[in-house]
Amino acid sequence: MRYNAVLFDLDGTLLDTLDDLASAANQVLTDQGAPPHPVDAYRHFVGDGLHTLVERMLPADRRDAETVSAALAAFQETYARVWRHRSAPYPGIADLLDRLAAGGVRMSVLSNKPDAFTRLCVQRLLTCWHFDPLLGQREGVPKKPDPAGALEIARLLQLDPSRILYVGDSGVDMRTAQAAGMDAAGALWGFRDQAELVRTGAKHLVARPEDLLPLIFSP
């Protein structure tokens, strides 16, 4: 087996959350009298934490600290109401996780979503599988692409980073993996495109979740 563990990103990798994220964000914009964005625009707004998402979604002339803070609070409140409306695992994820668990591969999650909400999403939408460690963005820990969270996971798993395959859908994930000394697999079913994944250091590109299996289980 080439890898003993797989570290997954959450949004855009395990879970398709785009519609609910866009719905919450556009509701906030509408309430503030700002124009909403097409759902696809949020593919490039998300991935760097909620504060950055809110900055990106606001009009360029309304990104002062006070406006961003108010919009962030409104987004958190709105998203807490709508986050389960359409979010779900991507096709093929359930079978992938079943086969990894059966093969004795340890699984973990690292997200730039707030830690408590990361745990809630996994507990509600990925209830059949065990992820440990399960980490979101936490106070005092730099967010991705800083490798601190990924290296913490390697320490907790007691594995050399080279024995962990990092699976994500964005340049943030690819850079995190490289900085942590992990091989990066770019998920082409996620939010970002192949060009970004290649440009930011993906060692592998996978079109479907099941394409990860030969990477993990080959000698």
Side-chain angles (χ1 to χ4, degrees), residues 171-214:
V172 168
D173 295 310
M174 303 301 101
R175 292 194 296 271
T176 303
Q178 283 196 318
M182 299 175 182
D183 288 346
L188 296 175
W189 60 84
F191 294 166
R192 303 294 177 84
D193 61 22
Q194 179 173 330
E196 176 176 323
L197 297 171
V198 170
R199 184 175 68 250
T200 53
K203 180 172 182 177
H204 310 287
L205 294 171
V206 285
R208 304 169 301 170
E210 57 264 37
D211 295 339
L212 287 163
L213 295 170

Side-chain angles (χ1 to χ4, degrees), residues 66-189:
E66 183 177 353
T67 301
V68 170
S69 179
L72 176 59
F75 175 83
Q76 290 174 310
E77 180 181 345
T78 304
Y79 188 51
R81 295 197 304 268
V82 307
W83 71 274
R84 287 195 68 183
H85 286 186
R86 300 190 67 179
S87 295
Y90 282 100
I93 288 295
D95 184 60
L96 168 67
L97 298 179
D98 282 343
R99 295 174 72 175
L100 292 179
V105 178
R106 300 166 75 181
M107 299 181 288
S108 60
V109 168
L110 179 64
S111 176
N112 273 343
K113 237 185 176 97
D115 188 64
F117 211 80
T118 294
R119 295 175 183 277
L120 179 64
C121 288
V122 171
Q123 290 163 3
R124 298 287 181 85
L125 299 178
L126 296 164
T127 56
C128 297
W129 303 279
H130 180 66
F131 298 91
D132 185 32
L134 169 58
L135 302 177
Q137 186 179 354
R138 296 160 292 155
E139 192 72 29
V141 180
K143 65 183 180 181
K144 301 183 292 183
D146 189 285
L151 290 172
E152 180 181 355
I153 285 173
R155 288 193 299 270
L156 291 170
L157 292 173
Q158 297 184 318
L159 290 173
D160 187 276
S162 65
R163 301 298 298 171
I164 301 172
L165 180 65
Y166 188 120
V167 183
D169 70 301
S170 72
V172 168
D173 295 310
M174 303 301 101
R175 292 194 296 271
T176 303
Q178 283 196 318
M182 299 175 182
D183 288 346
L188 296 175
W189 60 84

